[in-house]
Amino acid sequence: MQPKNSKGQLTIIKALIKLTISTFQNKEEGQMDPLKMARVPITKNDIIYYDNMGYLLVADILSSEKCDEILEIYESHADEDFSQILNQDREGVTEIRELMRLPRIVSTLDSLQRWKVDAVQSIILFKRAGSRYATQAWNPHQDNSYPQAPYPGYITANIFLADADRENGCMYLYPSSHKEPLLPFVETPSYKEPMGTNPGNTVEVPEEYLDKKVDLVIKRGSMLVLNSHLIHGSYPNNSSRSRPICSISYITQGVEFRPGKNAKRIRINVH
């Protein structure tokens, strides 16, 4: 039976998450591999991992050939600075909309959210080697500082179109920091921001997570699913290699969110 409102369904989802966390408490958190790779279809243990770590890495979401195809499409629409491109799927680029609806992505998110999701936004971050945005480093932030959706309704799928490591500006994470509420943040321009500034609504990382920081070294074609409260950021790209990521945001069906001045989030059925 479907609950009548988002408050009801989020109550159910939170109860299910609490149950998996209580199951996990019989294990040592330190025993969990911070770079563990799941595969589709994800398992119950993968869901437990996500609930407790705040993220899930999934291997082989896209083939190398598909990564090249998606990147070529985005590059054909890029400006000379290779700045971010928002919502290209709404400009008649059917390949991006198809990516947002890819069953192995959507089924993974449905499983993690315990409810069907809608897509709300897509963005490409090129981190193109040698471009003005290459050396940008995202501040530590929580994704939900933007849509401010009731927790845990908002979730992001980040698809790596090239290998990522510390040298070419990989992301970093603070495992389990999603258990914090939406923290106070410094509102910071995060779309086509001025040269010499770093994007990301900056939060102060609580002391208990500082020594848990993980650099996300990952292969292209992989996907990082992020809980919207997990604190994360990225390093500058000081290499000759680009680090493009296609980031797609989703919302649990029935949950409200802020559209955003630049993001202009809207519900898109992906089922």
Side-chain angles (χ1 to χ4, degrees):
M1 181 177 177
Q2 297 280 328
K4 294 181 179 180
N5 52 55
S6 62
K7 184 177 180 181
Q9 71 192 69
L10 287 174
T11 298
I12 293 171
I13 293 168
K14 287 177 182 177
L16 292 170
I17 292 172
K18 184 177 180 180
L19 179 61
T20 60
I21 288 177
S22 66
T23 301
F24 172 80
Q25 286 173 346
N26 294 323
K27 303 178 182 180
E28 288 293 329
E29 184 175 330
Q31 294 178 355
M32 302 199 85
D33 178 2
L35 295 176
K36 170 185 175 291
M37 298 297 295
R39 293 187 178 275
V40 176
I42 63 170
T43 67
K44 180 180 179 180
N45 284 338
D46 293 329
I47 296 172
I48 292 172
Y49 182 100
Y50 173 82
D51 285 345
N52 286 276
M53 299 291 273
Y55 64 95
L56 185 69
L57 300 170
V58 185
D60 301 324
I61 283 293
L62 296 183
S63 66
S64 293
E65 293 76 17
K66 192 65 176 178
C67 287
D68 289 341
E69 176 190 337
I70 296 297
L71 184 56
E72 286 176 10
I73 290 169
Y74 271 123
E75 288 178 337
S76 70
H77 296 277
D79 59 26
E80 62 180 8
D81 294 322
F82 284 90
S83 61
Q84 304 169 22
I85 301 177
L86 270 166
N87 303 321
Q88 194 67 44
D89 60 289
R90 302 180 200 173
E91 304 297 327
V93 184
T94 58
E95 293 88 348
I96 307 303
R97 183 61 61 89
E98 289 170 1
L99 178 62
M100 297 166 76
R101 289 176 169 156
L102 195 67
R104 55 183 173 272
I105 295 176
V106 174
S107 64
T108 297
L109 301 182
D110 285 348
S111 295
L112 294 175
Q113 294 294 84
R114 281 78 162 187
W115 214 272
K116 288 185 177 181
V117 298
D118 292 324
V120 294
Q121 171 191 330
S122 68
I123 189 170
I124 177 75
L125 300 104
F126 289 103
K127 215 145 196 176
R128 180 83 163 197
S131 72
R132 62 176 293 198
Y133 288 104
T135 57
Q136 239 181 17
W138 279 70
N139 299 314
H141 64 283
Q142 295 170 300
D143 286 342
N144 201 31
S145 65
Y146 299 99
Q148 299 187 22
Y151 185 81
Y154 192 64
I155 189 170
T156 305
N158 302 277
I159 303 159
F160 288 78
L161 303 179
D163 294 350
D165 53 42
R166 178 74 177 262
E167 186 182 32
N168 75 338
C170 72
M171 296 172 66
Y172 57 80
L173 315 167
Y174 292 92
S176 300
S177 60
H178 68 299
K179 296 174 185 177
E180 298 295 320
L182 192 59
L183 299 170
F185 59 87
V186 177
E187 192 169 346
T188 307
S190 301
Y191 179 66
K192 297 190 176 181
E193 52 284 338
M195 188 67 176
T197 65
N198 288 329
N201 285 340
T202 313
V203 301
E204 183 175 346
V205 181
E207 186 175 355
E208 61 264 37
Y209 302 108
L210 291 175
D211 63 351
K212 296 181 179 182
K213 184 179 181 182
V214 172
D215 291 351
L216 189 60
V217 178
I218 193 168
K219 294 292 186 182
R220 76 168 173 169
S222 302
M223 176 174 70
L224 165 67
V225 182
L226 277 178
N227 182 290
S228 65
H229 280 205
L230 187 83
I231 303 171
H232 63 286
S234 70
Y235 297 105
N237 181 2
N238 294 311
S239 76
S240 60
R241 297 173 291 116
S242 300
R243 193 231 60 183
I245 293 178
C246 178
S247 182
I248 307 171
S249 300
Y250 297 81
I251 194 81
T252 301
Q253 288 185 354
V255 174
E256 297 303 317
F257 56 90
R258 294 184 177 183
K261 179 181 178 181
N262 293 315
K264 295 180 171 59
R265 300 174 191 89
I266 59 172
R267 293 187 186 279
I268 300 169
N269 191 311
V270 291
H271 292 90

